[in-house]
Amino acid sequence: DDQDMQKYINRMKEFDLIRDLGPPPNAKLAAGNSINQSNGLFSNIDWKFSSVSSELASRSHIFPDLKISAVKEIVATGGLCSIDDIPRYGGKHLSPEEFHDSLLKGGKDLMLIDVRNTFEYDIGHFVNPNGGNEEATNGTASSHPIAATPAINPEMTNFTQFDAQFCARNADKWKDKKVLMYCTGGIRCEKASAMMRKRGIDDVCQLSGGIHRYLERYGDSGLFKGKNFTFDQRVAMDPKECLIRDEKQPATEIQISINADDQSATSNIVGKCLECDVPYDTISGSRVCTVCRDLVLVCPTCRENLRELHCARHSGWKKCYFTFLEVFSTDKLTLQLEELRQLRDGLVPLAQHKSMRKTLSKQIDRVQKRIAAFQNGEAKIDVGAKRRCRTCMESSDICNGLCWGFWKQGEEKIPYDFGGAGGTEDNEYDVSGSKKQKIEDIQPIAIGDIVEPGQAWNERRLGSKALADGARRFGRVVEIKSWGSQMDAKDAVAVAWLDEEFKTASVAAQPKIYRWGTLALNGERKYDVRRCQTD
């Protein structure tokens, strides 16, 4: 509970590496240091709490696992911004109150930047009540349902694009501007601010604690509009759910009206459907771009009319780029091929479009092979093919698209009878009185068992079943866990792939998660791997 969590945090704050564990054997302390010097590793951490609705708490484990990884960078920049750059170049930290006041007092020379990915920006962002942001390039501050200027969206799909594309285009003309930036919790701003200051922009400030801390202070009465994406089972938080009331400060002192006459200011939906532009801000793992798998905002009505989806960045590829080609005739594939080639050849200079040209070239090769398969009689059109999941490639009767990350769904979401042959009348029928389908038990598996790619292995998603020399692939089960992150069913395995002698794991390989009896929508158990030797 909250009290136990607070006790844990207090213990972590008081922890001292040398005092509590002692110095390492034969340790040589740096000049000027002593054993009595403070070594509080966790003393400066910004510990954050977040509330969860009772409904969500009753059906989900928001953070079911603790994973600790050693990585080169917490926020990947390809080594462009080192950890030493942060104290040297990092921007000035502003409290939520200071950030809020800066926006209220700022003018046309204030540049407000959102350093998150585009899909996060699309459902919620800050607005500048005094304008500004007019001079941004390779970023957008488009029309907005609220009478204020929205923050600049650098239009990133990954953070490495921030410096190479956005900063490179704007740094020179912003050297005399004041820059305010923010992200979800403040971490990405540590590197984003350093990148901008390294390019010669001196006046760079960042929101300390990010959107999270700001919403605790201002809730839905501040300058953040929309929802805050959270990368967990909550998906997105409404600002009014985040407000922590301070009894010493009346709520009226922090309330602000962007435009008292603008009724849309009371509406907290800032997102729009990419297809029809209706207000919409529900992000789902089942709606991703077929090209890059970035999350997209598409309303249910439009989704029903589209076999595959395209993000704003790839909207120009809607007529020619499809992951699943089985529904297209040779004539339609030929038209796709022509347009794909035109798109690729139009991307110049080559050095600036290397990645997109590579993506288009791969698709051209896929379409050519499909056409050749038609001509050789090896393939035929399937106009009635079911819609398929872009992530796992399974058909819609197998997967509803919620099969990856924290979107994963488990058995308890599906109305089947898990009582086996001995099930009683009580569990053989659902609430409507319909008889449930009997589901087979998950096959036994144990840590240490040897497995290889199984019947449900999808080479497009998981890679080849064989090694480069054609030999069979084998792996050792190192953990048995839940496929659905909020579930208790043990229907997945973590596998470390082995060499042919079953002795050592590959140096480059990390354990990967595979389905082991994961329940599909049609009631089938799916096994990506099969057991071929017990420990």
Side-chain angles (χ1 to χ4, degrees), residues 4 35 56 60 70 82-83 135 139 171 197 202 214 224 238 254 278-280 336 364 391 399 401 410 425 456 505 520:
D4 289 338
I35 291 180
L56 181 59
S60 301
S82 71
I83 191 170
E135 300 182 15
R197 295 200 66 230
D202 292 327
Y214 184 91
F224 183 87
D238 192 295
I254 62 171
V278 300
Y280 187 73
Q336 291 177 21
I364 288 171
T391 301
C399 178
E425 289 294 317

Side-chain angles (χ1 to χ4, degrees), residues 24 34 45 52 68 120 162 223 232 241 299 303 346 371-372 416 418 428 443 497 527 535:
S34 70
I45 288 180
V52 179
I68 301 174
E120 300 171 75
F162 184 73
L223 293 166
D232 56 50
E241 299 173 346
C299 71
R303 179 68 183 96
I371 292 174
Y416 294 122
F418 298 95
E428 290 181 1
Q443 296 175 13
W497 294 101
Y527 297 86
D535 185 34

Side-chain angles (χ1 to χ4, degrees), residues 75 115-117 120 156 159 181 183-193 231:
V75 178
V115 298
R116 301 172 301 159
N117 291 333
E120 300 171 75
M156 295 185 293
F159 189 73
M181 62 172 56
C183 58
T184 306
I187 296 177
R188 276 175 280 190
C189 282
E190 297 291 352
K191 287 197 171 182
S193 63
F231 293 96

Side-chain angles (χ1 to χ4, degrees), residues 36 61 161 167 198 207 268 341 350 391 467 469 516 529:
N36 295 324
H61 301 297
Q161 299 168 342
C167 292
K198 285 176 71 174
L207 175 56
N268 210 31
R341 286 170 172 162
L350 304 185
T391 301
L467 299 174
D469 59 1
W516 182 265
V529 294

Side-chain angles (χ1 to χ4, degrees), residues 292-359:
C292 63
R293 287 193 58 228
D294 205 18
L295 293 162
V296 296
L297 285 176
V298 177
C299 71
T301 301
C302 292
R303 179 68 183 96
E304 285 302 311
N305 297 324
L306 298 168
R307 288 192 66 86
E308 300 184 32
L309 305 179
H310 296 76
C311 66
R313 191 163 63 109
H314 296 115
S315 60
W317 301 10
K318 286 182 181 180
K319 296 181 179 180
C320 62
Y321 193 106
F322 299 93
T323 300
F324 307 110
L325 304 177
E326 60 266 29
V327 298
F328 299 110
S329 65
T330 303
D331 290 342
K332 289 184 177 179
L333 290 171
T334 301
L335 291 175
Q336 291 177 21
L337 189 61
E338 293 175 0
E339 189 165 346
L340 287 166
R341 286 170 172 162
Q342 291 176 4
L343 286 170
R344 182 192 61 185
D345 296 342
L347 292 173
V348 291
L350 304 185
Q352 293 183 12
H353 302 283
K354 184 178 179 180
S355 178
M356 295 187 79
R357 287 177 62 87
K358 183 178 180 180
T359 299

Side-chain angles (χ1 to χ4, degrees), residues 113-383:
I113 306 172
D114 189 316
V115 298
R116 301 172 301 159
N117 291 333
T118 293
F119 70 85
E120 300 171 75
Y121 175 95
D122 284 343
I123 65 168
H125 43 257
F126 277 95
V127 295
N128 184 348
N130 298 309
N133 297 347
E134 289 92 344
E135 300 182 15
T137 59
N138 193 41
T140 58
S142 56
S143 60
H144 200 274
I146 297 172
T149 304
I152 297 168
N153 173 19
E155 298 182 338
M156 295 185 293
T157 55
N158 63 75
F159 189 73
T160 57
Q161 299 168 342
F162 184 73
D163 183 76
Q165 298 179 16
F166 183 74
C167 292
R169 286 188 168 96
N170 293 291
D172 287 343
K173 60 177 175 286
W174 285 3
K175 290 184 178 179
D176 296 325
K177 304 285 187 181
K178 180 180 182 64
V179 173
L180 291 183
M181 62 172 56
Y182 66 90
C183 58
T184 306
I187 296 177
R188 276 175 280 190
C189 282
E190 297 291 352
K191 287 197 171 182
S193 63
M195 288 174 174
M196 299 206 82
R197 295 200 66 230
K198 285 176 71 174
R199 286 186 174 270
I201 304 173
D202 292 327
D203 195 354
V204 179
C205 299
Q206 61 196 78
L207 175 56
S208 183
I211 300 168
H212 181 104
R213 284 286 184 233
Y214 184 91
L215 294 184
E216 285 184 341
R217 176 68 176 85
Y218 291 96
D220 61 351
S221 65
L223 293 166
F224 183 87
K225 303 301 171 183
K227 295 177 180 177
N228 184 28
F229 191 81
T230 59
F231 293 96
D232 56 50
Q233 287 285 323
R234 297 168 297 174
V235 182
M237 297 289 287
D238 192 295
K240 64 177 176 289
E241 299 173 346
C242 305
L243 179 65
I244 297 178
R245 292 291 186 189
D246 186 349
E247 295 179 357
K248 298 179 180 179
Q249 173 149 6
T252 54
E253 293 186 20
I254 62 171
Q255 291 184 350
I256 177 172
S257 175
I258 301 293
N259 184 339
D261 296 326
D262 185 2
Q263 294 300 316
S264 64
T266 61
S267 174
N268 210 31
I269 297 180
V270 302
K272 296 187 298 183
C273 172
L274 275 174
E275 298 294 325
C276 67
D277 282 344
V278 300
Y280 187 73
D281 66 357
T282 301
I283 284 182
S284 172
S286 64
R287 294 189 284 273
V288 298
C289 175
T290 194
V291 182
C292 63
R293 287 193 58 228
D294 205 18
L295 293 162
V296 296
L297 285 176
V298 177
C299 71
T301 301
C302 292
R303 179 68 183 96
E304 285 302 311
N305 297 324
L306 298 168
R307 288 192 66 86
E308 300 184 32
L309 305 179
H310 296 76
C311 66
R313 191 163 63 109
H314 296 115
S315 60
W317 301 10
K318 286 182 181 180
K319 296 181 179 180
C320 62
Y321 193 106
F322 299 93
T323 300
F324 307 110
L325 304 177
E326 60 266 29
V327 298
F328 299 110
S329 65
T330 303
D331 290 342
K332 289 184 177 179
L333 290 171
T334 301
L335 291 175
Q336 291 177 21
L337 189 61
E338 293 175 0
E339 189 165 346
L340 287 166
R341 286 170 172 162
Q342 291 176 4
L343 286 170
R344 182 192 61 185
D345 296 342
L347 292 173
V348 291
L350 304 185
Q352 293 183 12
H353 302 283
K354 184 178 179 180
S355 178
M356 295 187 79
R357 287 177 62 87
K358 183 178 180 180
T359 299
L360 288 167
S361 293
K362 286 184 176 181
Q363 183 67 8
I364 288 171
D365 184 59
R366 289 188 64 240
V367 174
Q368 288 176 326
K369 289 180 178 179
R370 180 69 179 175
I371 292 174
F374 269 115
Q375 294 171 342
N376 297 332
E378 299 172 355
K380 60 181 180 179
I381 188 172
D382 184 4
V383 293

